[in-house]
Amino acid sequence: MPIISLGYYRPTPINHTPTPSSSHPIKMVHSYSCATFFTLFTLTFSSFTSAFTSQHYSDALTKSILFFEGQRSGKLPTNQRLSWRADSALNDGSSANVPLHTSSCFNVSLDGVDLVGGYYDAGDNVKFGLPMAFTTTMLAWSIIEFGDNMKGELDNAKDALRWSSDYLMKAATATPGTLYVQVGEPYSDHQCWERPEDMDTPRNVYKVSAQNPGSDVAAETAAALAAASIVFQDSDSAYSHKLLQTAKSVFDLADKYRGSYTDSLSSVVCPFYCSYSGYNDELLWGAAWIYRASQDASYLSYIQSNGHVMGAYDDVFSFSWDDKRAATKVLLAKGFIVDNIGELQAYKQHSDNYICSLIPGSPNSQAQYTPGGMFYYKQGQGQSNLQYVTTSSFLLLTYAKYLDSNGGHASCGSSMVTSETLITQAKKQIDYILGDNPMKMSYMVGFGDKYPTRIHHRGSSVPSVHDHPDRISCDAGHQYLNSQSPNPNILVGAIVGGPDSNDNYGDERGNYSQSEPATYINAPFVGAAAFFSGH
């Protein structure tokens, strides 16, 4: 069996045209020829050269964590480092903050609960539960796998995690049998261009329950709480225990009362964060995280009994806030590779299939790359591509770590792929984000000499309340959206949506698919940056 070991080499691409559809216009991307594949056999990880050192990755790690401070909602702590931000949404959850005429629509809550805190998902001022829970899971997983490399940033990473896990705990425990999954009426919010400190759009509160199920968002919340419980197990055992118990309770709600939050909440969550993949992937993902956190055999039994109908054997080739199938396989494969749990052996093969799909020239390759070498998965309008780059890079590095634990490899057809190959492939993608790309610019704000300056972000683009204390209204804010000037407030560490299929990036605030940052782009990057900062 030949061994594939990729060096830092960008093979000549051949044109590949995806199948057109009415909703997805044709994008010209690139795959790789079999001839190229065999050339790569001779290249080794030791031949890798990079413009970036461990110090650069440490700087990127620091900034990727700092970004989360710019996304904070609620009462800011005294050690807030992004000083242009101020307190916001201090009445979230209060019944007095919800317009009475909306109480019968879309499961709006008038319960009067404390939902202050958490994160704004991207460049707007809504707290969307599904991407926030996913962000929390990925921050926790980053710390679990690569926290030892974070050194002086570990406490900051844990602070970023706790900001969201505290909020999710509130959302899950405020009312028995209920999970609060969103704060903010999205349409009015998106019509305004207001900094969060000024926002006066309705702060409607939306929930799922037995009567109005949301298995997808509830199971992802369970995964987030369980993963966070692992992080805090040693430093705060009481908090860790509460996180895990709440995770189990929320998972029971998700599993017993099955249904998609897309159906329960309708246009409140669509087209913003529709659950396109359904909820089965989150149920298996949630069970996998609770099993890892608790080692409770009942969750292993659940996985064994339900995996085949919840996507365990679906070979899908993306990982995002919506679709968890690929990552669940990698997470469960650890049980076989590292912990020798025979019942989980099948997840090793399916993880191999996913990992091999990312390797250019592999017999199993499904990935498409831009001429400049960026993994390109973007589908449809309004989606950022770099979210797929950071999630896939994280999985490559995590799987490499698992394989390294026992000298294993991934099987790509008749060939073996080493952990070094996976690391090299991930490094290419991370380096692309940081500036090794045809535009010669970093797609992380504040990293390097050239980076996006007109990002699609309300708080960053509107003058800070410290510089402009007078309120800037909904309509008045549009002058800053439409301005050609750089954003006055630098959202350090923000990773934007990224370039198009031809590696072009226009740095236009109005082009939100390219210029908008999001917490779920950064969260997996934290783990990847931590890995390379220690190597």
Side-chain angles (χ1 to χ4, degrees):
M1 180 181 288
I3 298 176
I4 306 171
S5 185
L6 304 183
Y8 192 66
Y9 171 74
R10 187 168 293 140
T12 302
I14 57 175
N15 288 339
H16 169 75
T17 304
T19 303
S21 71
S22 59
S23 60
H24 297 138
I26 295 176
K27 301 284 188 179
M28 187 63 71
V29 292
H30 299 82
S31 59
Y32 297 82
S33 67
C34 291
T36 297
F37 172 68
F38 290 109
T39 301
L40 296 174
F41 279 25
T42 62
L43 300 172
T44 65
F45 182 66
S46 61
S47 68
F48 177 84
T49 58
S50 172
F52 301 112
T53 66
S54 61
Q55 287 75 24
H56 289 115
Y57 297 117
S58 294
D59 183 39
L61 171 64
T62 296
K63 290 173 178 173
S64 67
I65 297 169
L66 182 59
F67 157 76
F68 288 94
E69 295 193 12
Q71 300 302 112
R72 283 173 170 168
S73 178
K75 179 73 175 176
L76 299 186
T78 56
N79 62 351
Q80 170 81 9
R81 292 174 294 169
L82 284 186
S83 58
W84 51 267
R85 280 296 321 280
D87 299 343
S88 63
L90 296 180
N91 295 311
D92 276 0
S94 166
S95 58
N97 206 38
V98 180
L100 292 177
H101 68 273
T102 63
S103 60
S104 62
C105 302
F106 305 123
N107 304 312
V108 176
S109 169
L110 294 178
D111 296 339
V113 296
D114 176 10
L115 294 176
V116 177
Y119 288 121
Y120 304 117
D121 70 302
D124 53 37
N125 299 324
V126 181
K127 296 191 300 201
F128 290 101
L130 184 55
M132 194 195 306
F134 176 72
T135 293
T136 307
T137 308
M138 293 309 299
L139 275 174
W141 202 2
S142 291
I143 297 169
I144 290 166
E145 300 297 351
F146 306 116
D148 288 346
N149 289 349
M150 293 182 181
K151 300 175 183 176
E153 288 301 321
L154 180 58
D155 286 343
N156 288 327
K158 292 171 77 171
D159 286 346
L161 171 62
R162 189 154 186 162
W163 194 267
S164 53
S165 62
D166 279 352
Y167 173 82
L168 294 178
M169 283 279 287
K170 289 182 181 182
T173 60
T175 304
T178 297
L179 175 67
Y180 296 95
V181 299
Q182 186 169 314
V183 181
E185 199 288 308
Y187 293 94
S188 58
D189 178 273
H190 283 63
Q191 288 171 0
C192 288
W193 197 259
E194 290 179 305
R195 57 196 179 192
E197 294 83 0
D198 280 340
M199 63 177 166
D200 53 2
T201 51
R203 300 300 289 171
N204 294 2
V205 175
Y206 304 93
K207 63 184 179 180
V208 298
S209 62
Q211 294 74 33
N212 300 287
S215 299
D216 27 33
V217 65
E220 180 61 64
T221 301
L225 295 171
S229 77
I230 299 173
V231 172
F232 295 106
Q233 202 163 36
D234 293 333
S235 58
D236 192 338
S237 59
Y239 181 62
S240 172
H241 176 76
K242 188 176 181 181
L243 287 168
L244 183 55
Q245 294 309 116
T246 305
K248 291 180 177 181
S249 176
V250 177
F251 182 82
D252 288 344
L253 175 68
D255 188 43
K256 186 175 181 180
Y257 304 102
R258 296 189 183 185
S260 172
Y261 93 140
T262 297
D263 296 329
S264 293
L265 294 177
S266 186
S267 60
V268 168
V269 296
C270 276
F272 309 101
Y273 291 102
C274 312
S275 181
Y276 297 106
S277 68
Y279 56 79
N280 280 328
D281 57 313
E282 277 89 8
L283 286 173
L284 193 62
W285 172 245
W289 272 112
I290 295 176
Y291 175 66
R292 180 159 177 179
S294 67
Q295 295 299 298
D296 184 334
S298 67
Y299 290 93
L300 179 59
S301 297
Y302 180 95
I303 293 164
Q304 291 177 269
S305 300
N306 295 282
H308 64 290
V309 295
M310 291 183 172
Y313 306 130
D314 298 344
D315 285 328
V316 294
F317 305 107
S318 70
F319 172 38
S320 69
W321 56 263
D322 176 42
D323 195 335
K324 318 298 160 45
R325 286 173 290 181
T328 302
K329 295 176 181 64
V330 170
L331 180 64
L332 291 174
K334 174 187 178 292
F336 175 71
I337 298 169
V338 180
D339 304 321
N340 298 311
I341 301 172
E343 295 91 333
L344 299 176
Q345 182 174 3
Y347 292 96
K348 165 67 165 64
Q349 181 55 57
H350 287 285
S351 293
D352 283 1
N353 293 345
Y354 167 72
I355 293 299
C356 294
S357 78
L358 299 173
I359 305 301
S362 161
N364 304 52
S365 180
Q366 298 285 331
Q368 298 170 345
Y369 291 85
T370 65
M374 176 184 67
F375 174 51
Y376 194 82
Y377 189 81
K378 179 180 171 183
Q379 302 291 321
Q381 296 295 319
Q383 290 192 33
S384 69
N385 185 67
L386 287 186
Q387 64 175 308
Y388 300 108
V389 176
T390 61
T391 54
S392 60
S393 297
F394 178 89
L395 290 185
L396 284 166
L397 295 171
T398 299
Y399 202 56
K401 177 184 174 182
Y402 297 162
L403 294 176
D404 266 346
S405 68
N406 69 355
H409 60 269
S411 297
C412 297
S414 60
S415 303
M416 294 188 301
V417 172
T418 66
S419 62
E420 289 181 344
T421 298
L422 308 189
I423 293 168
T424 301
Q425 186 62 20
K427 191 160 188 142
K428 292 177 183 179
Q429 300 305 305
I430 298 304
D431 285 1
Y432 185 104
I433 291 173
L434 295 179
D436 186 11
N437 56 63
M439 295 291 293
K440 301 301 180 185
M441 71 181 296
S442 164
Y443 293 111
M444 173 184 280
V445 174
F447 184 90
D449 297 327
K450 182 183 178 184
Y451 52 80
T453 61
R454 291 182 286 273
I455 67 172
H456 185 94
H457 190 277
R458 287 158 176 78
S460 173
S461 63
V462 178
S464 166
V465 291
H466 303 299
D467 297 327
H468 191 294
D470 293 339
R471 181 176 174 275
I472 299 172
S473 69
C474 167
D475 292 335
H478 282 91
Q479 64 181 301
Y480 302 106
L481 168 63
N482 299 322
S483 168
Q484 294 302 306
S485 299
N487 288 11
N489 310 308
I490 300 178
L491 185 57
V492 176
I495 301 174
V496 296
D500 64 17
S501 59
N502 290 310
D503 302 293
N504 296 316
Y505 182 83
D507 199 14
E508 299 172 2
R509 196 175 293 112
N511 186 356
Y512 60 88
S513 65
Q514 288 196 337
S515 65
E516 187 170 20
T519 58
Y520 48 85
I521 303 177
N522 267 64
F525 183 92
V526 168
F531 175 88
F532 290 119
S533 71
H535 287 75

